[in-house]
Amino acid sequence: MNEDMKIFENLESEVRSYVRSFPTVFTKTKGYKMWDKSGKEYIDFFSGAGALNYGHNHDHMKQKLIDYIASDGITHSLDMASTAKADFLEKFQDVILKPRDLDYKIMFPGPTGTNTVESALKLARKVTGRTDVISFTNGFHGMTIGSLSVTGNSMKRKGAGIPLQNVVTMPYDNYVDDQDSLDYLERFLEDGGSGVAIPAAMILETVQGEGGINAASFEWLKKIERVCKRWGILLIVDDVQAGIGRTGSFFSFEPAGIKPDIVCLSKSLSGYGLPFAVTLIRPDIDIFTPGEHNGTFRGNNHAFITATAALDFWKNDELENNVKEKSQKILDFLEKMVEKYPEIKGEVRGRGFMVGVASEVDGLANKIAAKAFENGLIMETSGPSDEVFKLFPPLNIDDEGLDKGLAILEASIKAAMKEPITN
Ligand code: PMP
């Protein structure tokens, strides 16, 4: 154990986790690079778990933030009006919603992913007057009780310490090979003897991040939307991790051609790593009474400033094209790895810059991620048994950074396979 890590071991709670996977003290970062106290350089294929899709400390956002702070602009404002908020609302409408023909009211639910999910669940229950929600196997939606209730992971659920109720879990796309999971779901809704009541909402990720990079097919998503419409069920897409360009388009559901009733966004919305979330609501179901769902930190004006600046990256298709082109390169590389090293027993998963390899070998994905860290590449694992090593580079990474990261990854795969797995 590095001496510098002792302070965290001695003073920080046992609940700490990423610091265990990446045991060094970071001091500086720019774009896709990070440096630790000893000056060692790392390539970042983690992007703050999807909160840093534009890389670290991007000059465009940084300058706007510095100027705003220097001018004594409002920092905290609950949900009062500020110029920073007005600018964000207007630009989000003009750059994101209007060109995609999407009509949503924008709610500020509190600064984190779980805040937007909680608000979505509450609103769906209020709108429909129903109590239950359908969630999906391996879904992940956050750590507060409502969000946990729709999260699949048993270790996280157990952490609630109380029964998590009013939720029915249904199989996600491809959960069982060669079975249409939606036929199964519809049967439950149709059959008065199924024991499943018509729910207020269904909540899903189009690509499951924490659950193991499972990408739903566009057909499945379209059918989900049809089922929801047929039964008057609200469709909530949790785009906290898959949104803001991670899968290639601003919203992950765009290529499926669906229009959810409620959309949850957070993580990379501020663009700069500042806490920020919104809940997008179909206007006719925007029925919370004033203050019915509130919170102290709904007016993070520094986040409004950087989020507004980040929207400039969506005024043309440069960023989307970068993801499209390089995503193919990453997928080709991963397919090659799986073929060249059959010992991985790997399966390539995901789309856009939300990809990974699931390994059937117990503990191997963690070993590869640990080796990668030693070799100067930051990446994490996901899935119910941490069986997927996950590639999350910043969306604007250049060829040099990507090639370097992939080369480190291959060296780490080779090194991991040479050693016995101890965990
Ligand atoms: N939804 C999804 C899809 C997520 O991936 C996460 C975080 N990993 C959350 C919700 C919760 O976000 P937060 O950690 O900011 O509460």
Side-chain angles (χ1 to χ4, degrees):
M1 162 81 55
N2 175 337
E3 255 324 277
D4 290 333
M5 299 312 291
K6 290 225 164 106
I7 190 165
F8 306 97
E9 199 178 294
N10 293 338
L11 301 179
E12 193 180 348
S13 155
E14 287 305 306
V15 78
R16 67 195 187 279
S17 67
Y18 287 117
V19 66
R20 298 176 197 266
S21 312
F22 311 121
T24 191
V25 181
F26 293 101
T27 51
K28 193 181 148 125
T29 178
K30 189 78 183 165
Y32 59 81
K33 291 180 184 167
M34 296 182 79
W35 292 272
D36 71 9
K37 221 172 148 183
S38 73
K40 182 174 169 184
E41 184 177 295
Y42 297 83
I43 296 202
D44 187 2
F45 273 16
F46 175 48
S47 298
L52 291 159
N53 283 357
Y54 311 106
H56 299 262
N57 296 328
H58 195 291
D59 284 340
H60 179 55
M61 289 177 276
K62 183 167 86 175
Q63 198 52 52
K64 297 265 190 218
L65 184 58
I66 290 171
D67 293 347
Y68 184 78
I69 292 172
S71 73
D72 282 334
I74 302 281
T75 296
H76 176 269
S77 58
L78 291 123
D79 72 350
M80 290 184 270
S82 68
T83 47
K85 180 152 101 176
D87 290 347
F88 170 74
L89 284 169
E90 220 163 40
K91 198 156 164 189
F92 193 78
Q93 191 70 27
D94 291 344
V95 178
I96 302 299
L97 296 181
K98 270 198 199 140
R100 290 165 180 79
D101 193 27
L102 292 169
D103 189 12
Y104 291 121
K105 292 294 280 296
I106 302 174
M107 170 179 178
F108 299 104
T112 69
T114 200
N115 291 138
T116 162
V117 170
E118 293 286 351
S119 71
L121 297 173
K122 274 167 80 171
L123 183 65
R125 288 182 166 122
K126 176 166 176 159
V127 169
T128 58
R130 302 177 192 147
T131 50
D132 290 0
V133 170
I134 286 184
S135 61
F136 292 90
T137 48
N138 286 310
F140 183 97
H141 300 285
M143 288 295 104
T144 50
I145 298 300
S147 307
L148 253 188
S149 72
V150 287
T151 290
N153 185 291
S154 57
M155 181 270 273
K156 308 271 190 214
R157 289 180 71 85
K158 203 158 170 244
I162 54 167
L164 297 169
Q165 295 170 332
N166 298 113
V167 172
V168 178
T169 308
M170 287 284 164
Y172 193 69
D173 194 14
N174 279 322
Y175 185 63
V176 182
D177 285 344
D178 304 323
Q179 259 194 30
D180 187 333
S181 62
L182 284 181
D183 281 351
Y184 177 85
L185 191 160
E186 263 200 304
R187 179 87 185 100
F188 270 89
L189 298 178
E190 279 163 358
D191 180 7
S194 70
V196 174
I198 303 300
M202 295 196 202
I203 182 164
L204 59 87
E205 301 152 89
T206 67
V207 182
Q208 296 182 321
E210 305 302 317
I213 314 293
N214 307 306
S217 70
F218 299 150
E219 275 320 301
W220 191 83
L221 293 169
K222 280 193 177 93
K223 206 165 159 194
I224 281 272
E225 185 183 54
R226 280 202 299 274
V227 173
C228 283
K229 284 219 165 85
R230 177 174 168 208
W231 297 95
I233 299 164
L234 297 177
L235 175 57
I236 304 170
V237 169
D238 176 350
D239 235 2
V240 166
Q241 186 161 159
I244 328 286
R246 184 44 64 188
T247 62
S249 46
F250 186 86
F251 295 107
S252 70
F253 53 81
E254 285 173 51
I258 60 168
K259 287 189 178 170
D261 302 294
I262 304 176
V263 182
C264 301
L265 290 179
S266 181
K267 287 204 192 264
S268 277
L269 182 61
S270 81
Y272 206 71
L274 297 170
F276 186 34
V278 296
T279 311
L280 305 179
I281 303 167
R282 216 180 70 201
D284 60 300
I285 58 166
D286 179 31
I287 59 159
F288 273 139
T289 51
E292 189 175 355
H293 184 95
N294 66 10
T296 309
F297 289 107
R298 287 172 300 143
N300 184 350
N301 285 262
H302 291 171
F304 292 147
I305 292 293
T306 55
T308 305
L311 294 177
D312 287 333
F313 302 130
W314 295 95
K315 283 182 169 168
N316 56 45
D317 44 22
E318 200 180 309
L319 188 70
E320 281 178 79
N321 287 340
N322 195 51
V323 175
K324 214 176 276 169
E325 176 201 322
K326 295 203 174 74
S327 159
Q328 197 49 53
K329 186 169 172 174
I330 299 174
L331 287 171
D332 291 345
F333 170 85
L334 293 178
E335 291 292 356
K336 198 177 91 191
M337 290 300 100
V338 167
E339 225 172 87
K340 193 165 161 191
Y341 305 105
E343 309 93 298
I344 303 175
K345 296 190 182 157
E347 180 196 44
V348 178
R349 294 184 180 172
R351 62 186 173 94
F353 266 27
M354 190 163 182
V355 293
V357 173
S359 166
E360 277 177 36
V361 183
D362 230 11
L364 184 62
N366 268 335
K367 186 99 206 170
I368 291 170
K371 281 285 164 205
F373 175 70
E374 275 174 41
N375 295 334
L377 175 71
I378 298 176
M379 53 187 280
E380 70 165 338
T381 57
S382 81
S385 316
D386 283 329
E387 72 278 18
V388 180
F389 59 91
K390 184 174 163 190
L391 281 75
F392 257 54
L395 307 182
N396 51 10
I397 195 166
D398 57 20
D399 279 309
E400 192 191 333
L402 189 58
D403 291 343
K404 217 166 152 185
L406 295 179
I408 297 176
L409 176 55
E410 178 164 9
S412 308
I413 292 172
K414 275 200 231 167
M417 285 185 320
K418 273 198 204 124
E419 287 179 17
I421 291 160
T422 48
N423 56 334

